[in-house]
Amino acid sequence: MTLSRYLVALGHGTRKEAERIVRQRRVTTAAGAVLRDTDAYVHHDVFVDGAPLDAPPGSVILLNKPVGYVCSLNDRPPMIYELLPANFPKRTPVMASIGRLDADTSGLLLVTDDGALNHLLASPKSHVPKRYAMTLAEALRGDESDVLASGTLMLKGETSPLLPAAFTATGERTADITISEGRYHQVRRMMAAIGNHVHTLQRVAIGPLALGDVAVGRWRLLGATEIHTLREAALAAKAGAKAEAKPPATA
Ligand code: URA
């Protein structure tokens, strides 16, 4: 990508504005050499006014979303963008969350400008497993894991049963669940469907990626290997679901 396109992509204004900051000698390498050619391809770190640019195009950010923040522009603020670098909403393509978490749900949220990866992970055909930890209003009965693993449970107002989910009790009123779909308010509605109520819900993993020790409200950039592993896991989950959906071959 050329220097001017790179600056525009990372939210440094229009092409003209990007060209102006280059002319003003404000764009440098990490070592401080002034970059003058807006048409030159970028193969190195770029600094503006002495500060490194935000995450380069194709980045994936792992945010530990706090309760109370919304992912969608259509919802009532505060938005997750308040927790991210100020340039993010101005970037082209936009840095968007991969799927959503409810305002009341905390934990692992991925944000990227990689539209293909976003689609791969967030489309209804994506069956990459997502793990949640929850606290519940009612004590567990003991039959939850069988009911949720059955593949027959229906959510209110829906016409197709839920895919099997792996439910593990971790205490009298606490549990982990792994689901491989992304229906609206899915975990809360699943627990309501079996007569309980979710008090707190935190996403702790997506495929091979765990929340780890990222503090609430903070984020980190995923490394190239993590992105590769995530993409591979999503592709494998999609291929597995497709194979299962195929009717068995007749002899
Ligand atoms: N299930 C829910 O109920 N809420 C979320 O945010 C994610 C999964």
Side-chain angles (χ1 to χ4, degrees):
M1 191 180 288
T2 62
L3 181 58
S4 57
R5 286 195 65 184
Y6 195 73
L7 290 166
V8 172
L10 294 188
H12 285 272
T14 60
R15 199 182 166 104
K16 269 201 170 138
E17 285 160 347
E19 284 169 358
R20 191 177 60 231
I21 61 171
V22 171
R23 270 200 313 278
Q24 291 170 338
R25 302 166 60 91
R26 290 162 56 195
V27 183
T28 63
T29 64
V34 174
L35 298 171
R36 297 160 203 274
D37 184 357
T38 48
D39 292 330
Y41 279 78
V42 173
H43 300 293
H44 43 68
D45 281 347
V46 176
F47 282 52
V48 173
D49 297 330
L53 289 197
D54 296 331
S59 291
V60 183
I61 272 160
L62 184 161
L63 171 70
N64 186 349
K65 181 184 115 41
V67 166
Y69 283 75
V70 297
C71 301
S72 161
L73 287 166
N74 301 326
D75 287 334
R76 196 149 9 115
M79 286 207 69
I80 52 162
Y81 291 106
E82 294 180 25
L83 304 164
L84 299 172
N87 263 356
F88 272 21
K90 294 189 236 151
R91 289 169 59 130
T92 339
V94 67
M95 289 294 277
S97 68
I98 299 184
R100 291 183 192 166
L101 288 177
D102 311 334
D104 291 341
T105 302
S106 64
L108 198 170
L109 183 73
L110 298 176
V111 179
T112 188
D113 58 356
D114 181 337
L117 181 67
N118 196 329
H119 181 72
L120 180 65
L121 286 158
S123 97
K125 289 192 180 137
S126 164
H127 294 286
V128 65
K130 287 167 277 221
R131 186 153 54 88
Y132 295 83
M134 66 182 108
T135 62
L136 295 153
E138 308 295 334
L140 292 166
R141 296 184 307 238
D143 65 345
E144 289 85 357
S145 86
D146 288 345
V147 179
L148 292 165
S150 68
T152 57
L153 187 68
M154 296 285 283
L155 290 181
K156 211 168 165 192
E158 297 204 355
T159 51
S160 60
L162 289 159
L163 291 176
F167 181 91
T168 312
T170 53
E172 204 188 19
R173 286 186 170 75
T174 57
D176 284 353
I177 191 168
T178 301
I179 59 173
S180 51
E181 303 171 90
R183 303 193 197 191
Y184 180 69
H185 289 191
Q186 183 168 337
V187 175
R188 294 175 196 278
R189 290 168 68 214
M190 283 170 103
M191 297 315 293
I194 58 171
N196 213 321
H197 174 78
V198 173
H199 262 331
T200 67
L201 186 62
Q202 181 194 34
R203 183 153 66 192
V204 292
I206 298 180
L209 204 63
L211 184 55
D213 57 7
V214 177
V216 177
R218 307 307 289 259
W219 58 272
R220 72 173 179 88
L221 266 184
L222 295 192
T225 311
E226 288 177 302
I227 298 175
H228 176 77
T229 314
L230 186 63
R231 185 178 280 111
E232 292 297 303
L235 287 170
K238 192 173 169 185
K242 218 170 166 183
E244 262 176 38
K246 244 190 205 163
T250 46

